[in-house]
Amino acid sequence: MEISEDGTGATRLRAAIRDHWDELSTSERAVAQHLASAQVEQLLFASAQELGTASSTSNATVVRALQRLGYAGLPALKRELASDFTSAVAPEVRLKQRIAHVGRDLASIWTDVFDEARERIDHTQRLTEPDALKRAVTALAGAHEVFCYGIAASEPGARHLALALGRIGRRARFVSETGFALADQLLALRQGDAVVIFQPGRQLVELTVMMERARAVGAKVVLVTDELGESYEDLVEAVLTAPHTPTGITAESLTGLLVADALLLALATLDESRAVDSSHQLTALREQLLRPKRRG
């Protein structure tokens, strides 16, 4: 499957190469030529190092070329291409291609996983503005209770945030219901509460209902997402970007978990005494539970 004019991401890539060709250095043009001629699946699974080798340049040149073409980095290009690729290719076919790409070389598999994880983590760090993080932390810091919502691949981030908030002395609950069952959870949402929604890319009716309910009762909303920021930015206090995986090589929940960890550390820092006291109580309770049972 060569890159064609049929896909939105592919069309943007070709247009960017045409528009910026005169601005590219000789080595950057070599990268651009390789990007234009490569198969979509090759680009999706390739690291910057591999693209540098294939274009007889370097990984640094690949990154510079992509930035010159208007992309934040390789993950941004992969995200655009993946949207077209995943909608046109069946999941089982994508799995076969993923397996074919990594092969059976254990060293290569190890490298591929960590390369993609590193790319996604770097992209996450760059995409969220400090002001957005500040607004998110402010919204959660004053909340009476935090509702952490996530389903399917987004569940680990929401579940982790809810559990860890409790461990630093903050009231929180994990919510994963959909459809009518969600109504019971939303009934408990009150003024002064906050909702953190983990949802990468699909616009679910549950999201709109939650946001409208939060606005109606006076609760605040933080959205952790990849593609939905522009769609919901007017309904939330802050949007924190957590790029999803373009290939499926790394866990979908990876970046959401990291965003949750950043929120947790910030909140613990804001109220150190509460966090420390809760940690002490948690440790004491665990010690009681680990005591040997007395024989009657």
Side-chain angles (χ1 to χ4, degrees), residues 280-293:
H280 174 72
Q281 292 185 50
L282 180 64
T283 300
L285 289 169
R286 286 171 170 171
E287 289 176 349
Q288 292 178 42
L289 293 168
L290 290 174
R291 288 175 185 170
K293 293 183 179 180

Side-chain angles (χ1 to χ4, degrees), residues 222-246:
V222 173
L223 177 61
V224 182
T225 186
D226 183 8
E227 302 173 1
L228 302 179
E230 293 184 1
S231 300
Y232 295 106
E233 60 185 353
D234 294 335
L235 297 175
V236 303
E237 295 297 315
V239 175
L240 305 180
T241 304
H244 58 58
T245 169

Side-chain angles (χ1 to χ4, degrees), residues 73-114:
L74 184 56
L77 171 62
K78 289 183 177 182
R79 180 171 61 176
E80 287 199 4
L81 294 176
S83 178
D84 307 321
F85 185 67
T86 54
S87 62
V89 181
E92 63 272 18
V93 176
R94 297 199 303 271
L95 176 59
K96 288 181 180 179
Q97 291 173 339
R98 185 160 69 241
I99 294 172
H101 169 76
V102 299
R104 296 184 178 182
D105 182 347
L106 293 181
S108 177
I109 290 173
W110 186 263
T111 299
D112 285 345
V113 170
F114 280 89

Side-chain angles (χ1 to χ4, degrees), residues 10-30:
T11 301
R12 167 161 153 64
L13 174 59
R14 285 187 175 276
I17 292 173
R18 288 195 300 267
D19 294 344
H20 296 281
W21 183 260
D22 292 340
E23 304 170 17
L24 302 178
S25 66
T26 301
S27 58
E28 289 168 350
R29 288 181 178 180

Side-chain angles (χ1 to χ4, degrees), residues 256-287:
L257 287 166
L258 291 174
V259 169
D261 282 337
L263 292 172
L264 289 164
L265 182 57
L267 290 169
T269 302
L270 286 177
D271 195 341
E272 182 179 351
S273 59
R274 182 199 294 190
V276 171
D277 181 62
S278 293
S279 179
H280 174 72
Q281 292 185 50
L282 180 64
T283 300
L285 289 169
R286 286 171 170 171
E287 289 176 349

